[in-house]
Amino acid sequence: MKVRIVVLAKQVPDPETPPSQFKIDESSNSVITPNGVPPVVNGFDLNAVEAALLLKDSDADVEITVLSVGSDFVMDAMKKPLAMGADRLVLVADELLDKLDSSATVKLLAAAIQKDGPFDLILGGRQASDWDQAHVTLGLSEVLGLPLVSLVKKLEINGDSVSLQRLIPDGYQAITAPIPAVLTVTNELGEPRYPNLRGIMQASRKKPEIFSLDDLGLSPEDLTPKLELKKLYVPESNKQVELIEGEDEADSGKKLALRLREEKLI
Amino acid sequence: MTTVLLVAERDEQGEISQTTLQAVAAANGLTEAQVTIAFAGEAPSSAGSLAAEKVVTLSAIDASDSGIYEQATADVAAFAASMNPDVVMFNKSDFGSIVSARLAFRTDSALAADCIGISNADGAVSVTRPVYGGSALAEFEIRSTPAIVTLRAGAYEPSTETGSPSVEAADSTESVEQRAQVTDTVAEARDGVRLEDANFVVSGGRGLGGPEAFHVLTDLASVLGGAVGASRAACDAGWIDHSHQVGLTGKSVSPDVYIAVGISGASQHMAGCSSSRAIVAINKDSTSNIFKEARFGVVGDWEKILPSFIATVRELKA
């Protein structure tokens, strides 16, 4: 029996951008992409791609669709999940979809999933590395009316249910959920695999399937944000570090301990 | 008047959690606030003197629903519908994150997570939240009612105000079909102090170069009576278990002293330790971001610095 998995993926500014290069254009309340630093697929979403690929490793009849919404997609970035081994890439692309809040994003994803579905599992990363919200996958479960389990670190399909391990601070919960279900995957699942040459070649030949707002039966009014961004800025740091310098590094270590004692910190 | 429904949480001892007391302060900071505090299960006796108009108790959370919160969301949603508040406030905890998101999308309401500030003027609620892993702050005006928010731990001082709220049980709600079920909870072994409770945290990052170095950090942590932390890079490399990870997607710690060894200080990491009393940075790269965040720093090779540091700490402690 064919198992259809959809993985939600978001294009984000590279979070490895050094803090010194992180700049904001305060007039447009947006991040200035530093020259030569292309966007990437949100790293946490790649954990979700890896989760789907692990299922596919053990069952060839798994089909993995990667779904994203937005504008200005950079194909080199968005095709990475395909190069890792996903089967399809579906993009809801529209220049109107530049600044979406999570409520509009969920509406678009839900419409695309209903159009392209049905799916057995809907997987997302634990959060996005740009707006750090972790809402979209959770919200999608409500809009689609499906069971939700967050922070999954291990999963296994058993017929019409899925057995999960959910991360908690001091261990994990064992959870059983019926299929279809919505899951967020945490990075404790394991490192996403690197694409191999064959994967990269196959991905380069695949074309994304594009949905427009019209295709989904949605209009711009449906996507009115509930939150209005008023101001985006880099907070000023007023901390001044006190550097401890000894005659050599061993002496610095000793002086550091004595300084901390002086401040009654140890 | 601004009506606030604050969904409270308890700590391991069953008392009102410090983060809930912080949220009480945030709620009462709103103009003309009228605060109702809801507890899942029986309210602790100290709830009777919280700075609020009213304390209500909802059904206790069943173990099979803990972490999924289908029934818990239905209970909060039913009470919120009867109260029709302007703001529904949660902590940015596992419970708060899940129930707030479920509630917001179930009722098509605005949601702002992990806020460090909330205010209101002329009937509009505004929030401030860190974005881009803490590299930037964003201020939003919320355009619909209710505004559903989660608050970051440590953003406000815990409320010390007292009041004399009425305490009553909410009307019972129907039980919902619980689809996903928790069948077991497995605790993983931990030695020594809990990271979140430690007064001293010694953390290592990519600059340590390998797993062996964590033995030195463990040694230092045990001399200090503290716990060992790590950056995501060190955990992802497999040098130490993910349960030690400090940062945006790991644990949040607030020790007296946070010693960061070989950690560059990416904002995602700092999000988990910036409320420490003092950060001490040991790193061979003097341009590392960690030196912008630290109170004390040593530039150099940790392999040469730590042995004399540990020996001196041991002497001072003797």
Side-chain angles (χ1 to χ4, degrees), chain B residues 188-211:
Chain B
E188 278 163 359
R190 139 176 64 88
D191 22 277
V193 200
R194 230 166 72 102
L195 198 49
E196 296 93 322
D197 299 335
N199 291 323
F200 297 92
V201 173
V202 186
S203 269
R206 214 192 300 255
L208 290 181

Side-chain angles (χ1 to χ4, degrees), chain A residues 37-232:
Chain A
V37 185
V40 295
V41 174
N42 174 36
F44 296 109
D45 297 341
L46 294 179
N47 294 122
V49 173
E50 177 63 26
L53 289 169
L54 289 172
L55 294 174
K56 195 178 167 84
D57 289 344
S58 56
D59 178 0
D61 225 7
V62 168
E63 183 203 61
I64 304 171
T65 301
V66 175
L67 172 63
S68 191
V69 301
S71 62
D72 297 326
F73 282 114
V74 173
M75 280 309 148
D76 280 349
M78 291 312 299
K79 280 192 170 182
K80 183 166 182 189
L82 293 178
M84 288 166 68
D87 299 289
R88 302 167 64 224
L89 177 62
V90 175
L91 301 175
V92 182
D94 196 306
E95 58 193 25
L96 293 169
L97 308 182
D98 177 24
K99 283 182 181 157
L100 295 169
D101 69 355
S102 53
S103 140
T105 307
V106 167
K107 276 183 196 156
L108 289 159
L109 289 170
I113 285 170
Q114 271 153 356
K115 185 178 166 64
D116 198 44
F119 292 101
D120 300 294
L121 288 178
I122 296 163
L123 307 184
R126 61 178 287 167
Q127 68 195 60
S129 58
D130 51 358
W131 294 97
D132 299 327
Q133 293 245 76
H135 287 166
V136 163
T137 315
L138 274 59
L140 200 53
S141 77
E142 286 287 333
V143 173
L144 295 172
L146 295 176
L148 164 73
V149 182
S150 58
L151 301 181
V152 170
K153 66 167 192 160
K154 201 168 176 195
L155 71 168
E156 196 177 301
I157 296 175
N158 301 312
D160 53 6
S161 72
V162 54
S163 303
L164 309 161
Q165 287 184 9
R166 175 179 192 270
L167 184 75
I168 53 173
D170 297 314
Y172 66 87
Q173 294 175 311
I175 294 177
T176 312
I179 284 173
V182 177
L183 312 175
T184 76
V185 174
T186 181
N187 46 299
E188 282 78 1
L189 177 112
E191 283 278 280
R193 63 193 66 186
Y194 285 101
N196 58 28
L197 194 61
R198 187 164 156 268
I200 294 168
M201 295 295 287
Q202 282 177 341
S204 71
R205 284 194 294 269
K206 282 182 188 160
K207 286 211 161 41
E209 295 159 55
I210 311 270
F211 292 166
S212 68
L213 274 189
D214 264 359
D215 294 335
L216 299 179
L218 289 167
S219 68
E221 294 78 60
D222 296 323
L223 308 175
T224 310
K226 295 182 193 300
L227 267 68
E228 189 188 355
L229 180 62
K230 288 286 190 188
K231 196 175 168 196
L232 182 68

Side-chain angles (χ1 to χ4, degrees), chain A residues 44 130-132 135 142 145 166 170 172-174 176 226 228 230-231 233 242 244 249-250 261 263, chain B residues 66 94 102 106 129 132-133 137 139 141 143 179 181 183-184 186 188 249 295 297 301 304 308:
Chain A
F44 296 109
D130 51 358
W131 294 97
D132 299 327
H135 287 166
E142 286 287 333
R166 175 179 192 270
D170 297 314
Y172 66 87
Q173 294 175 311
T176 312
K226 295 182 193 300
E228 189 188 355
K230 288 286 190 188
K231 196 175 168 196
Y233 58 101
E242 178 182 327
I244 313 283
E249 286 162 314
R261 165 52 69 98
E263 289 286 318
Chain B
S66 172
D94 193 45
R102 280 181 172 275
R106 189 170 296 186
R129 51 182 305 264
Y132 292 97
L137 292 178
E139 289 178 14
E141 189 176 297
R143 290 288 200 72
R179 296 165 297 186
Q181 301 261 1
T183 55
D184 196 12
V186 181
E188 278 163 359
T249 57
R295 187 156 145 214
D301 183 354
K304 300 202 178 96
S308 63

